[in-house]
Amino acid sequence: MESYLFVAFMRIADIFGGEAEQLVKTAGLTAAQYNVLRILRGAGPEGLACGEIAERMISRDPDITRLLDRMEKRELITRERQSDDRRVVKTSVTPTGLQILRTLDKPVRELHKQQFRRLSAKQLKTLASMLQKIHLQQMESGTRPDADANVLEAEAPH
């Protein structure tokens, strides 16, 4: 059963991820760039350090610095060295990045509704609860020590 579930998760993730990637591509973004913009919008005006962004990414990006460099060149993000600790560089989303996110918000919501259209509200809540348990189990076992244990909780509907 566990092997079946693993393969099913991987197949569904590939299909859903591909659909989302095609959608964000219409706005000139990669899935990783879209993810960074979402993370930074959620962080607010104070922004996040590079390592904090990496922890919150859906998929690991081995070269987050280059990803941020490309996004900064496109003026989607800004980076600022902190005056109180010169070692820390905070990254924030720009108005341009926020505008792109706003244009994608409704189409992304509609895509997710379409992807889960065959599940009732009760089934969606049950699925969310089960996925949260699996995620917490992975955090407790140290399988992905760089991941933020609160990521799924922050995304979960309440």
Side-chain angles (χ1 to χ4, degrees):
M1 179 57 79
E2 290 84 355
S3 294
Y4 165 78
L5 290 171
F6 174 80
V7 171
F9 278 139
M10 296 302 291
R11 285 184 177 161
I12 293 166
D14 185 55
I15 292 166
F16 283 11
E19 291 171 347
E21 183 129 21
Q22 289 303 310
L23 177 59
V24 300
K25 194 181 281 187
T26 64
L29 298 175
T30 66
Q33 290 170 335
Y34 174 72
N35 194 18
V36 168
L37 292 177
R38 281 184 59 249
I39 290 166
L40 292 173
R41 175 172 60 182
E46 60 274 3
L48 294 171
C50 182
E52 293 171 305
I53 296 168
E55 286 175 0
R56 296 178 187 196
M57 293 290 286
I58 293 171
S59 298
R60 292 181 194 201
D61 191 309
D63 202 348
I64 189 81
T65 303
R66 283 195 191 151
L67 173 64
L68 296 178
D69 287 343
R70 290 189 300 274
M71 294 178 75
E72 188 174 35
K73 283 181 185 166
R74 291 186 55 200
E75 299 181 356
L76 300 173
I77 62 166
T78 59
R79 292 187 278 187
E80 185 176 322
R81 191 165 299 281
Q82 300 301 287
S83 57
D84 58 329
D85 185 347
R86 303 285 300 154
R87 297 170 296 173
V88 178
V89 177
K90 291 283 184 154
T91 304
S92 301
V93 63
T94 64
T96 300
L98 287 172
Q99 180 55 41
I100 290 172
L101 283 174
R102 280 192 293 272
T103 64
L104 287 170
D105 283 342
K106 186 177 179 188
V108 167
R109 263 192 320 275
E110 289 171 357
L111 173 64
H112 294 325
K113 283 183 185 234
Q114 186 272 329
Q115 289 171 326
F116 290 97
R117 70 188 177 280
R118 295 201 171 139
L119 298 179
S120 68
K122 183 178 179 182
Q123 289 172 319
L124 288 171
K125 285 184 180 188
T126 300
L127 178 58
S129 175
M130 291 188 307
L131 291 172
Q132 180 68 27
K133 285 180 183 179
I134 293 168
H135 185 254
L136 290 174
Q137 172 189 321
Q138 294 306 108
M139 296 300 95
E140 290 168 1
S141 69
T143 304
R144 187 165 171 198
D146 65 320
D148 184 343
N150 298 314
V151 169
L152 279 185
E153 183 60 31
E155 296 282 337
H158 299 286

